[in-house]
Amino acid sequence: MALQRHLVRAILFCGLLTALTLVEIRATTVSRASSMPSYAGCYRRLYSTPIGNTEVVALGSSRVMFAFDPAIFVSQMTEVSGRSLAARNLAHPSAFPSFDFYLLEELTRQQQPNIVLFELNLDSARNIGIEDTVDPSDHVSDLVLPVGNFPPMFFAGLPLSAVANEMQDATDHVVLKLHYILKSVFISIEYVFNAIVTGRLGKVFEADADIDERRSDMCRMKIMDDLELQAAKHDREAEKVASIRRLALDEMSGRQWLPSADTQPNFLTPQSDPRVRKTALKFVSLSRERGMFPIFLNLPMIYSRPPSAEQIADIEKSLNAVVLSPSADEVWLKEEYFIDHTHLTQAGRKLFMKWLVQRLKPYLSANR
Amino acid sequence: MIAPTAVLIFLIFVFLPIYWSIPCRYHSLRLATLAFLSTVFLLALNPLIVYLTFSFMMIIGAVVTPFLLGWISAHTLRNLSWLCFVPIVGIEFVNNQTIASWFFPPDVSDFPAFYSLAFLGLSYSAIRSFIIVREVVSRGPIAPAEIVAALLFFPSFVAGPLVGTKPYAVEAMADSLDLSSLARGFSRIGWGIAVFLVLKPDMSNFDLSTIASGTTLAWLSVYRRFLCLYMDFTGYTELAIGTALLFGIRLPENFRYPLTAKSIQDFWQRWHLSLGAFISTYLFKPLVRDLGRPRAAIFMAFAFIGLWHSFTWNYLIWGVAHGGALALCMTAKRYYDEISTTRLVDSVATVGSWFATLSFVAVMSAFATAPDLASGLEMLKTLVGLGS
């Protein structure tokens, strides 16, 4: 009996010690990860920073993250209309539409922007994002960080965007909810273990002059530029960046056009997640409800034919909202302005922003 | 591996102290802890697995309760035990989406990615349920906690060993965790992980086209596929047996050096022993009793096992071929034993038989796992040098 009591005490003591250690690790990780130049960290940083009086917000995946530069937007808008508008990019790599919808819900609890740009990915199921080709060891995940009002939901890196998406749709079903919570916890565990094994966890704790606000700011919008910057310093990195780019381009080149835009007048391809349409409609109704002007933004890939004006008109009709989509002959829809087949370079971003500002101008005036 | 090793280790480390802190007199509580841990694990993989496993529990309950109440005889219960295979027949003929729509909203059941791992271990659950029902016939009432633990125990859920409730009975389980079980458990988990994470990837990633081409390459690919299958299976089994040991459960061995088998009979006495035991006890022997013809019995038993794997022509042919080979082997052995041979002839025959056995099982395994009958036949043609 005495032995059992000792055993219970020992277990309780070890448990308490472990809990304290975990709390300490988490606190340190949260504080360090928020300023780390991490792919996912960018999103978290944007999310955790107070929004302020933002008037235009862009939501979407890494394509929007690379394409929409608030600084360029503000300067060009001032140039074109003489008005300065605060803009924010809340796009996140691998973000699914319903994750964006969740973000919008969060955002509108704090304030009400005038215009919300929502990425409408016509090839969502076909998109081979650069996030799949980037070596995860380059990035320190936000380890086990709670996201907003998802108390049981942990954000431990890119894959959880998908889990969050699924979970969002399963809120009414207890068993599914449990499944997604467990799945996300499992993924978090795997990430922490991988971080330990690959030595990435050490990066969070080691003193590193590079990990500061400046780098974090650079990271916010210029992840690939940052990589290219590193590439100039390190040959190995240069090779890596080159191979990422080559891989993505090789993947797509040789194909004339992706078939979806030709065969599918609607924006859902047979391979697409059927929930995208539902989320898009939810997005429109939420925007209208909160007095915001919803605009869908289609960012085509190179080697993929943008939808025709008729197709866009059909989509606009079905969603009852404006859809901005470039025509095939846009100057920035060229390989030289893309990092890979789908993400714009800094030069491409500038051209794209010019295009976007021109198209947004009438809506901004109208919505004022 | 279906679940990351990290998760498996984490779950074991979290639940082991909880499990062993329960006094051994609360046997049912220990089993409930195991069932809860297993449910957590399976629920994280896919919630449909949990629903389907519960459907097996309901079948067991539905067929066993009338017997325990004395409404039906043991003979009737034996016949009713075959109902345990209804769910696996069902998923072959009912659309996956329809099945999922019974449990989940359309948004989820329409999403193709939802079906990944959804029907994992279902055929194993069918055999487990069947064995449990037959155990009720022979042993009488079994504690519900034992049945639930036997059906859900996550380490053996996917690939066996296929056992009923015997290892979960109070007299079969260890009262406390001794050092020897702990060491053996960890060493077997370690070996299982090594097979999965080191040996198998190394083997499957090796580019065979650098050393061979044409028919030789096809043969090497077939042997490699079989070795990978063996590693998958043995890796799972090691993990299952090792994890079970940490929880004081002794699961039976499932492999006994099958790559050294000298005949197809010998192979089935070494490969997937728990499945072999099921075939022998519940299919072969009763059929021999009923038909009085062992060769026909083995043929029919393996045809059934082929369909149990999957309702496809490939697996049916796999079963028929194995059954046919076993029947042939039984006949050949009788004639071979009658003729006197020299030691040299014996040695050559043994080596030849070993090679022929391995080649046969490797080819049939590749044929069964081919996407369809046409690809399977194309593969066979390539192996004999007639490929397009």
Side-chain angles (χ1 to χ4, degrees), chain A residues 63-64 117-124 261 267 295-301 304-308 311-312 315 322-327 332-333 352 355-356:
Chain A
R63 300 211 271 180
V64 173
L117 293 168
F118 191 84
E119 185 190 3
L120 185 63
N121 192 343
L122 298 186
D123 295 291
S124 57
F267 70 91
I295 295 179
F296 289 96
L297 186 61
N298 173 41
L299 289 171
M301 298 184 268
S304 171
R305 191 202 303 276
S308 65
Q311 286 171 333
I312 290 298
I315 299 170
V322 174
V323 177
L324 297 181
S325 181
S327 55
W332 51 274
L333 263 177
F352 167 77
W355 175 87
L356 184 69

Side-chain angles (χ1 to χ4, degrees), chain A residues 4 7 11 96 165-166 169-170 173 175-176 178-180 182-183 185-187 189-190 193-194 272-275 278, chain B residues 4 6-7 9-11 17 21 23 39-41 43-47 51 103-105 107-108 110-114:
Chain A
Q4 280 182 1
L7 203 67
I11 290 169
F96 276 51
N165 172 63
E166 291 176 13
D169 283 334
H173 200 286
V175 175
L176 278 175
L178 269 172
H179 162 64
Y180 291 121
L182 288 169
K183 196 169 166 183
V185 170
F186 275 25
I187 295 174
I189 295 167
E190 198 193 350
F193 267 67
N194 284 343
S272 300
D273 184 337
R275 289 169 293 190
K278 190 183 134 198
Chain B
V7 173
I9 293 169
F10 179 81
L11 284 178
S21 65
T39 309
V40 164
F41 185 80
L43 197 57
L45 293 182
N46 194 308
Y51 279 105
F103 307 106
F104 304 110
D107 278 352
V108 177
D110 285 350
F111 191 40
F114 179 72

Side-chain angles (χ1 to χ4, degrees), chain A residues 76-115:
Chain A
Q76 291 202 357
M77 200 39 112
T78 315
E79 207 176 282
V80 171
S81 64
R83 286 175 52 216
S84 176
L85 287 171
R88 199 148 200 99
N89 184 344
L90 284 188
H92 166 52
S94 293
F96 276 51
S98 61
F99 197 69
D100 292 335
F101 179 76
Y102 159 70
L103 270 184
L104 185 66
E105 270 189 322
E106 281 292 291
L107 175 74
T108 50
R109 280 198 186 95
Q110 299 169 48
Q111 65 159 284
Q112 191 183 306
N114 291 321
I115 287 184

Side-chain angles (χ1 to χ4, degrees), chain B residues 16-35:
Chain B
L16 262 186
I18 298 170
Y19 179 82
W20 286 114
S21 65
I22 300 168
C24 63
R25 61 180 177 277
Y26 300 118
H27 178 64
S28 297
L29 190 60
R30 280 189 174 182
L31 291 178
T33 312
L34 272 188

Side-chain angles (χ1 to χ4, degrees), chain A residues 34-307:
Chain A
S34 60
S35 61
M36 288 288 284
S38 128
Y39 211 76
C42 298
Y43 154 73
R44 192 185 176 279
R45 188 178 155 72
L46 281 166
Y47 181 71
S48 58
T49 315
I51 305 289
N53 57 342
T54 310
E55 287 169 275
V56 178
V57 169
L59 292 161
S61 69
S62 57
R63 300 211 271 180
V64 173
M65 195 182 82
F66 278 78
F68 188 87
D69 190 329
I72 302 176
F73 181 81
V74 172
S75 73
Q76 291 202 357
M77 200 39 112
T78 315
E79 207 176 282
V80 171
S81 64
R83 286 175 52 216
S84 176
L85 287 171
R88 199 148 200 99
N89 184 344
L90 284 188
H92 166 52
S94 293
F96 276 51
S98 61
F99 197 69
D100 292 335
F101 179 76
Y102 159 70
L103 270 184
L104 185 66
E105 270 189 322
E106 281 292 291
L107 175 74
T108 50
R109 280 198 186 95
Q110 299 169 48
Q111 65 159 284
Q112 191 183 306
N114 291 321
I115 287 184
V116 187
L117 293 168
F118 191 84
E119 185 190 3
L120 185 63
N121 192 343
L122 298 186
D123 295 291
S124 57
R126 296 167 188 275
N127 181 11
I128 308 148
I130 195 161
E131 50 273 7
D132 294 335
T133 51
V134 170
D135 181 356
S137 62
D138 284 340
H139 312 293
V140 178
S141 309
D142 289 5
L143 301 166
V144 201
L145 304 177
V147 172
N149 68 352
F150 264 12
M153 177 68 211
F154 294 101
F155 182 71
L158 300 177
L160 284 184
S161 169
V163 178
N165 172 63
E166 291 176 13
M167 199 171 156
Q168 174 107 335
D169 283 334
T171 43
D172 297 334
H173 200 286
V174 178
V175 175
L176 278 175
K177 212 169 170 182
L178 269 172
H179 162 64
Y180 291 121
I181 291 169
L182 288 169
K183 196 169 166 183
S184 59
V185 170
F186 275 25
I187 295 174
S188 302
I189 295 167
E190 198 193 350
Y191 260 64
V192 175
F193 267 67
N194 284 343
I196 295 167
V197 171
T198 57
R200 274 188 292 145
L201 198 63
K203 279 190 191 175
V204 179
F205 299 101
E206 73 190 13
D208 186 345
D210 281 347
I211 303 166
D212 55 16
E213 287 299 307
R214 187 185 62 78
R215 263 180 74 82
S216 182
D217 282 341
M218 275 170 68
C219 170
R220 195 170 67 184
M221 272 303 298
K222 300 177 175 64
I223 295 159
M224 195 45 73
D225 297 343
D226 196 24
L227 260 179
E228 282 167 357
L229 207 76
Q230 286 177 25
K233 292 180 191 166
H234 307 289
D235 287 346
R236 198 181 68 81
E237 291 297 327
E239 276 170 24
K240 194 184 286 174
V241 172
S243 71
I244 288 167
R245 187 174 174 166
R246 202 168 47 244
L247 206 128
L249 290 174
D250 286 353
E251 182 80 33
M252 305 307 290
S253 60
R255 300 181 192 182
Q256 195 96 47
W257 297 106
L258 285 172
S260 59
D262 290 337
T263 53
Q264 291 291 316
N266 209 334
F267 70 91
L268 287 178
T269 65
Q271 292 81 11
S272 300
D273 184 337
R275 289 169 293 190
V276 174
R277 185 186 172 80
K278 190 183 134 198
T279 311
L281 289 168
K282 272 165 69 183
F283 166 74
V284 174
S285 93
L286 179 77
S287 303
R288 300 242 194 274
E289 195 184 294
R290 306 271 161 99
M292 299 176 292
F293 192 72
I295 295 179
F296 289 96
L297 186 61
N298 173 41
L299 289 171
M301 298 184 268
I302 40 175
Y303 308 121
S304 171
R305 191 202 303 276

Side-chain angles (χ1 to χ4, degrees), chain B residues 145-163:
Chain B
E146 287 176 28
I147 296 176
V148 173
L151 278 176
L152 285 170
F153 189 51
F154 74 92
S156 61
F157 190 85
V158 182
L162 284 163
V163 283

